[in-house]
Amino acid sequence: MRYKIIVLLTALLLVTPKIVAQDEVNAITTAAPFLLITPDGRSGGMGDIGVATSPDFNSQHHNPSKAAFNDMEFSIGVNFTPWMSQLVNDVYLGGIAVTNKLNERSAWAASFKYFTLGEIQLTDDNGDPLTKEKPNELAVDGTYALKLSESFSLGVTLRYIRSDFTLRVQNSDIQTVNAFGVDVSGYFESAEANFGDFNGIMRGGFNISNIGPKVAYVPGGRENFIPTNMKLGAGFDFILDDYNKVALTLETTKLLVPTPPSDVDNSIGFFEGMMSSFGDAPGGFSEEMKEFTWAAGTEYMYSDAFALRAGFFHESDIKGARQFFTVGAGFKFRAASIDFSYLFNASDINNPLENTLRFSLGFNLGESFDYY
């Protein structure tokens, strides 16, 4: 039936977003890959980095432990990211994040993400309309972050994930998927120190996200790993004077999921898969290293009110071939901020975010926390 073809194409957009027309390609695919989409305008302008940048409204996505270093008592971030905007206008990722400082050492944070494929008309073999579906995915999470010292914090996050591709037609085996995942994250931020002609702040961070069991879209069918992902990053803020600051940050990521065809018999559990993901690539060490992406980003800030950003992201050609440049800007007015970014594709493979603007709004409320 024609609706099966439509749903298959839809599933491919979600479950296998990386396609490279090369014989040697061996990309890793997962369930619920929307969890890896960078949702906010600030990180989107710096090559999708965020694990080691300064805390902001959207730390919950990149590194939840940064919540303990928030400088405001209460903050809210709202994001909107069009997806494949050059083809359709009703596919997008939207979300909201909230952070609340409990005291100078601890904080809680939460976020909600919603990804929709818009409205899809299902038809039978004769092309006659059956029904309309609105496949979607969502995630809700909560974090507790605690400063173990003046310069280091840890965070633990619990996440609920739901993928709804269920078809309200006969002979459909696709079921709604419900899953849970855990994040473990850490963040380091030094006190401001003098380096001769300028002051500086060193930053570092890690986040192992979406640690959780496998899921199946069809009862009794093959189980898929959720996108357990490791991020590592380091950065430095050059504080030139009271008004001008430049931040440079490097970041690398790796999916902690078995490399095909390691799990050909569908017998590897999620924890075993995490451990084996560091040494199971068929091409050996050289292929294993190609599973690490890397990105670099910079942010110029004037008077904590205006920002200009740029970045670059690179992924191996045989692991997805995502390669792009980004630019962005941000403005702050009293308690409100707006950030936006734009992506330039640098690969022969189309990018769903190519020539797309990402927007974020942020609001700082309550008292200010001054650490140093």
Side-chain angles (χ1 to χ4, degrees):
M1 298 176 73
R2 189 173 299 177
Y3 74 81
K4 291 184 178 179
I5 298 177
I6 296 174
V7 172
L8 176 60
L9 293 175
T10 299
L12 287 173
L13 287 172
L14 288 170
V15 181
T16 57
K18 309 170 188 176
I19 300 175
V20 181
Q22 297 177 341
D23 293 338
E24 68 271 22
V25 66
N26 193 22
I28 300 173
T29 61
T30 70
F34 82 101
L35 294 170
L36 302 178
I37 301 173
T38 298
D40 61 292
R42 183 192 180 204
S43 292
M46 295 188 287
D48 284 2
I49 64 172
V51 74
T53 55
S54 58
D56 62 9
F57 313 102
N58 296 290
S59 296
Q60 184 71 354
H61 173 79
H62 304 281
N63 186 344
S65 65
K66 292 196 291 186
F69 279 86
N70 258 31
D71 58 6
M72 296 299 294
E73 180 182 8
F74 192 79
S75 65
I76 302 174
V78 181
N79 307 300
F80 180 78
T81 299
W83 193 252
M84 299 187 297
S85 59
Q86 296 185 64
L87 299 177
V88 293
N89 58 14
D90 60 351
V91 178
Y92 63 86
L93 174 71
I96 184 171
V98 178
T99 302
N100 179 216
K101 287 295 296 289
L102 300 174
N103 49 55
E104 291 192 357
R105 295 189 60 218
S106 62
W108 66 263
S111 72
F112 170 76
K113 297 187 187 73
Y114 178 78
F115 183 68
T116 176
L117 278 174
E119 187 174 80
I120 298 177
Q121 175 68 60
L122 305 184
T123 64
D124 60 21
D125 292 336
N126 298 319
D128 297 324
L130 292 173
T131 184
K132 293 182 179 180
E133 296 289 350
K134 294 182 178 180
N136 63 84
E137 296 183 296
L138 61 85
V140 181
D141 51 43
T143 292
Y144 177 74
L146 177 67
K147 291 178 67 176
L148 303 183
S149 69
E150 289 299 313
S151 58
F152 183 73
S153 64
L154 282 176
V156 177
T157 304
L158 177 63
R159 177 171 296 106
Y160 166 69
I161 306 162
R162 177 182 172 88
S163 292
D164 185 5
F165 301 146
T166 305
L167 302 178
R168 283 77 179 176
V169 294
Q170 293 181 349
N171 302 321
S172 172
D173 295 327
I174 300 176
Q175 65 180 357
T176 298
V177 168
N178 297 279
F180 289 92
V182 174
D183 298 1
V184 179
S185 56
Y187 178 66
F188 168 81
E189 180 180 296
S190 72
E192 184 176 329
N194 182 262
F195 292 86
D197 294 334
F198 60 89
N199 289 354
I201 295 175
M202 293 181 288
R203 305 184 190 277
F206 73 88
N207 184 21
I208 302 176
S209 59
N210 305 313
I211 304 170
K214 299 157 73 175
V215 299
Y217 286 96
V218 178
R222 181 175 181 80
E223 294 182 325
N224 300 279
F225 289 90
I226 62 175
T228 305
N229 193 48
M230 178 182 69
K231 292 184 178 183
L232 302 171
F236 189 86
D237 291 0
F238 296 84
I239 303 174
L240 306 179
D241 53 42
D242 291 340
Y243 297 97
N244 298 279
K245 179 174 67 176
V246 177
L248 300 176
T249 307
L250 296 175
E251 181 173 308
T252 184
T253 68
K254 185 186 189 303
L255 279 171
L256 303 186
V257 174
T259 305
S262 298
D263 194 25
V264 66
D265 58 357
N266 199 31
S267 62
I268 298 178
F270 77 92
F271 186 75
E272 181 185 357
M274 289 175 57
M275 297 299 102
S276 66
S277 67
F278 290 98
D280 62 355
F285 180 78
S286 62
E287 182 178 348
E288 204 69 58
M289 290 299 97
K290 291 178 180 178
E291 294 183 355
F292 285 84
T293 70
W294 64 268
T298 183
E299 177 181 59
Y300 165 73
M301 180 72 71
Y302 176 76
S303 191
D304 288 328
F306 171 69
L308 290 175
R309 306 178 180 110
F312 177 71
F313 180 96
H314 181 273
E315 180 178 54
S316 169
D317 288 344
I318 71 169
K319 294 297 176 179
R322 289 177 299 164
Q323 297 162 23
F324 52 82
F325 294 93
T326 64
V327 294
F331 305 90
K332 182 178 180 181
F333 179 74
R334 294 184 180 177
S337 300
I338 181 170
D339 299 289
F340 58 88
S341 63
Y342 191 80
L343 184 148
F344 301 91
N345 194 21
S347 170
D348 293 333
I349 308 303
N350 291 333
N351 190 305
L353 288 171
E354 186 173 358
N355 302 323
T356 297
L357 281 173
R358 276 178 278 188
F359 294 93
S360 296
L361 290 174
F363 303 92
N364 277 320
L365 306 171
E367 300 179 358
S368 175
F369 288 81
D370 186 5
Y371 300 114
Y372 305 115

